Amino acid sequence: MAFLSVIRRWHFRDGFSIREISRRTGLSRNTIRKYLRSDTVEPKFKVPERPSKIDPFAEKLSGWLKAESRKPRKQRRTVKQIHADLVSLGFEGSYGRVAVFARRWKEDLQRHQNTTGRGVFVPLAFEPGEAFQFDWSEDWALIGGERIKLQAAHTKLCYSRAFVVRAYLLQTHEMLFDAHNHAFRVLGGVPRRGIYDNMRTAVDKVGRGKARQVNARFSAMASHFVFEPEFCNPAAGWEKGLVEKNVQDARHRLFQPIPHANSLEELNLWLEQRCQSLWEETSHGVEPGTIADAWRVETQFLMAVPRPFDGFVEHTKRVSPTCLIHLERNRYSVPASFANRPVSVRVYPDRIVVVAEGQAICEHKRIIERHHGQGHTVYDWRHYLAVIQRKPGALRNGAPFADMPDGFRQLQRHLLGKPGGDREMVEILALVLHHDEQAVLAAVEMALEAGVPTKTHILNLLHRLIDGKPGTVPPVRAPQALVLGKEPQANVERYDTLRGDKEVRHAS
């Protein structure tokens, strides 16, 4: 380029002829004329075709990229994953070469389809402890050997970019509240603002501009954690671009390949630990160091986490004559004393609590089914003890009593074959209402082992267990021969001492 500059200066500034420039440079006059006529400032050289390590894999890579472009966006492989698959086939090139190939392939596809990128956006900057962003996504996992679609809750601090992902089966209010409880616990504090889209669990109605009619329970949660909720404009996901990017990254980091777990609790524990390890491995990009380094700085500006928000959703239900309440196509038992009465049902992510007269009367593990079947019935046999005391015959075929412990069921099989066995079995089960259930069960098992499964013997064993006495009485060892210490005397005159001085009249 410096040589071309000299030729242009000699000709246009110093007035040298082309012949003189040719003599001085040794270039032909035609070459000099070509440079001067084309008004070229920078010389251009044709890049020769060179063989590349990716050439043998170009056709296969193009096929992969075409197949990935037809998949749903959430299920596409990243270029890093494609590079790893190529390496397994024998490719020895770098990731950068594959990335360049994929970028050029995408540009050619866009030119062919007359499309462009998604647009241009303004980068955002946040102060430590200023805000966090929240969003939902749908992903898949193998839980207990079954492929299940999950709703993943993403919470990300805007300054340090520390993030937490937690999986649920639904996107309901109680799941949203539980996600915030765990997110603030893991992040170590609460920022001043929370940025959301217009999800139905938070916004009841979208008004003009920034006007929103916020859900009452969501407002209660925001007031409990003392942060100000802000909502993006409709269809403006770039206003919370940090968490939108986190949804995309987490899908490739956490859910591809599909994770395996025995339960949802085990999966969430793994997700929490994996997120924290990614903080240490991922560079922040703006601040020096990793995400974990920036997070340690931001924790000093976060408000301390208060007690967990009691994030339940409450429904009013009427207990049926069979002591059941209906919720989400499933049925749960309630103590018989509340049959045919209204109760409040508090729904949590993993359990339901039935409340009446200002106190919790029972609790069940929540069942969430995606298919629209007839649902399940969850019994607690203790809830029906008051009923069988009046109707002992119902014990024989009562559905709730099929889930009793094995000791009670063995005793039932023994007693129901005897006259009055129904009543005796009911009276033994009723002991659970006044004594510890494990103590009653232990007494029943001891009576079965001793071969004396009766109510009297069970009561005796139960009181011994409660008093801390041994359940078995040591045997009495009698001597081989008994010897009287004082021999009795055959003297009938001693009965005369019973007579008084006066004649005693006896009834005849």
Side-chain angles (χ1 to χ4, degrees):
M1 183 174 176
F3 188 60
L4 178 60
S5 178
V6 171
I7 293 175
R8 291 173 57 81
R9 187 170 65 251
W10 281 349
H11 181 74
F12 292 110
R13 182 177 291 276
D14 299 336
F16 288 177
S17 65
I18 295 178
R19 182 185 296 275
E20 178 64 19
I21 295 174
S22 175
R23 186 184 65 79
R24 290 191 177 194
T25 59
L27 297 175
S28 68
R29 286 176 287 179
N30 289 335
T31 301
I32 297 173
R33 288 191 185 97
K34 182 179 68 173
Y35 284 157
L36 295 176
R37 288 174 182 174
S38 63
D39 198 23
T40 302
V41 177
E42 297 181 4
K44 296 181 180 179
F45 303 95
K46 184 178 181 181
V47 180
E49 294 290 338
R50 298 187 180 92
S52 173
K53 294 181 180 179
I54 206 171
D55 291 342
F57 303 90
E59 183 176 356
K60 179 174 287 295
L61 183 55
S62 298
W64 283 357
L65 293 173
K66 186 176 181 180
E68 294 297 324
S69 66
R70 295 174 179 174
K71 292 182 180 180
R73 180 174 56 86
K74 298 178 181 180
Q75 300 179 10
R76 295 176 188 171
R77 291 182 295 174
T78 63
V79 178
K80 285 187 178 180
Q81 293 171 328
I82 293 177
H83 172 256
D85 294 339
L86 280 179
V87 170
S88 65
L89 296 179
F91 177 65
E92 298 179 353
S94 64
Y95 161 76
R97 176 57 58 187
V98 179
V100 170
F101 185 95
R103 184 165 57 251
R104 290 177 178 173
W105 183 90
K106 186 176 181 180
E107 291 173 355
D108 293 340
L109 180 64
Q110 290 177 349
R111 283 194 297 270
H112 178 71
Q113 296 179 346
N114 293 323
T115 58
T116 59
R118 295 186 178 183
V120 182
F121 308 99
V122 178
L124 304 177
F126 296 88
E127 295 295 327
E130 179 182 354
F132 71 92
Q133 296 179 1
F134 180 90
D135 200 8
W136 288 99
S137 70
E138 291 185 352
D139 292 284
W140 295 84
L142 282 172
I143 299 179
E146 182 182 359
R147 190 171 182 265
I148 297 178
K149 183 167 71 172
L150 300 174
Q151 310 297 322
H154 300 255
T155 309
K156 188 169 187 176
L157 296 177
C158 294
Y159 171 77
S160 65
R161 302 182 183 179
F163 57 92
V164 179
V165 180
R166 191 167 182 86
Y168 297 92
L169 296 176
L170 302 172
Q171 284 190 25
T172 51
H173 278 96
E174 62 273 16
M175 311 296 181
L176 174 68
F177 302 149
D178 186 73
H180 282 74
N181 283 331
H182 288 283
F184 293 144
R185 173 184 56 83
V186 177
L187 296 175
V190 184
R192 296 188 295 273
R193 293 190 294 129
I195 303 174
Y196 303 84
D197 56 17
N198 299 282
M199 52 189 180
R200 294 183 178 179
T201 50
V203 178
D204 291 338
K205 183 178 180 181
V206 179
R208 185 183 299 274
K210 289 291 184 179
R212 301 289 186 274
Q213 183 178 338
V214 183
N215 181 270
R217 287 290 289 163
F218 183 86
S219 296
M221 182 200 68
S223 177
H224 174 81
F225 287 115
V226 197
F227 70 85
E228 179 185 359
E230 293 184 0
F231 301 96
C232 302
N233 290 314
W238 60 83
E239 295 183 6
K240 55 179 181 60
L242 291 176
V243 74
E244 293 282 353
K245 180 66 165 57
N246 192 79
V247 169
Q248 179 182 359
D249 293 341
R251 180 168 294 118
H252 302 307
R253 293 171 177 172
L254 303 176
F255 294 99
Q256 289 183 358
I258 294 180
H260 299 67
N262 295 323
S263 64
L264 188 60
E265 293 76 13
E266 180 181 326
L267 175 65
N268 281 323
L269 179 60
W270 177 82
L271 286 174
E272 182 178 318
Q273 295 172 350
R274 181 60 181 151
C275 288
Q276 291 176 325
S277 62
L278 287 173
W279 298 357
E280 302 286 350
E281 301 170 7
T282 309
S283 174
H284 186 277
V286 177
E287 300 297 327
T290 62
I291 290 177
D293 297 329
W295 171 74
R296 295 185 187 99
V297 174
E298 187 169 19
T299 52
Q300 304 173 14
F301 299 88
L302 298 175
M303 189 192 77
V305 182
R307 60 178 176 80
F309 178 65
D310 194 10
F312 60 83
V313 176
E314 194 165 19
H315 304 279
T316 300
K317 300 287 184 178
R318 188 173 186 84
V319 183
S320 70
T322 53
C323 309
L324 296 173
I325 57 171
H326 293 251
L327 179 69
E328 298 170 342
R329 300 188 302 276
N330 298 311
R331 294 162 294 279
Y332 302 88
S333 67
V334 175
S337 57
F338 294 92
N340 303 306
R341 294 172 55 185
V343 295
S344 294
V345 181
R346 296 180 179 178
V347 183
Y348 292 87
D350 57 345
R351 68 189 191 279
I352 67 165
V353 179
V354 182
V355 179
E357 298 178 355
Q359 61 180 358
I361 58 175
C362 67
E363 180 176 325
H364 291 282
K365 183 179 179 181
R366 183 181 179 185
I367 298 176
I368 300 177
E369 294 288 348
R370 295 187 179 276
H371 57 81
H372 296 277
Q374 294 184 353
H376 299 269
T377 303
V378 180
Y379 292 113
D380 187 341
W381 58 272
R382 304 162 193 84
H383 295 163
Y384 294 86
L385 292 178
V387 179
I388 62 173
Q389 287 179 357
R390 293 183 289 105
K391 301 177 180 179
L395 183 62
R396 291 180 177 269
N397 299 107
F401 301 97
D403 298 328
M404 288 191 304
D406 291 338
F408 290 144
R409 292 187 58 79
Q410 293 178 20
L411 180 64
Q412 181 184 15
R413 287 193 293 270
H414 179 81
L415 293 179
L416 293 188
K418 298 169 53 179
D422 290 328
R423 175 64 64 183
E424 187 173 357
M425 184 64 194
V426 168
E427 292 175 353
I428 294 173
L429 290 178
L431 296 174
V432 175
L433 299 175
H434 307 286
H435 303 284
D436 180 64
E437 180 181 336
Q438 295 302 319
V440 177
L441 181 59
V444 169
E445 293 174 347
M446 292 168 61
L448 290 171
E449 292 178 2
V452 192
T454 63
K455 175 187 173 183
T456 305
H457 189 57
I458 291 173
L459 279 173
N460 186 19
L461 293 173
L462 177 61
H463 290 306
R464 286 180 174 273
L465 290 174
I466 295 174
D467 297 338
K469 297 180 181 180
T472 58
V473 180
V476 178
R477 299 185 180 277
Q480 295 296 329
L482 298 178
V483 180
L484 291 175
K486 184 178 180 180
E487 292 290 341
Q489 297 178 2
N491 182 11
V492 296
E493 293 180 355
R494 59 181 178 166
Y495 292 103
D496 292 337
T497 59
L498 298 177
R499 300 176 62 187
D501 296 338
K502 299 180 179 180
E503 187 71 21
V504 178
R505 185 177 180 179
H506 298 281
S508 59

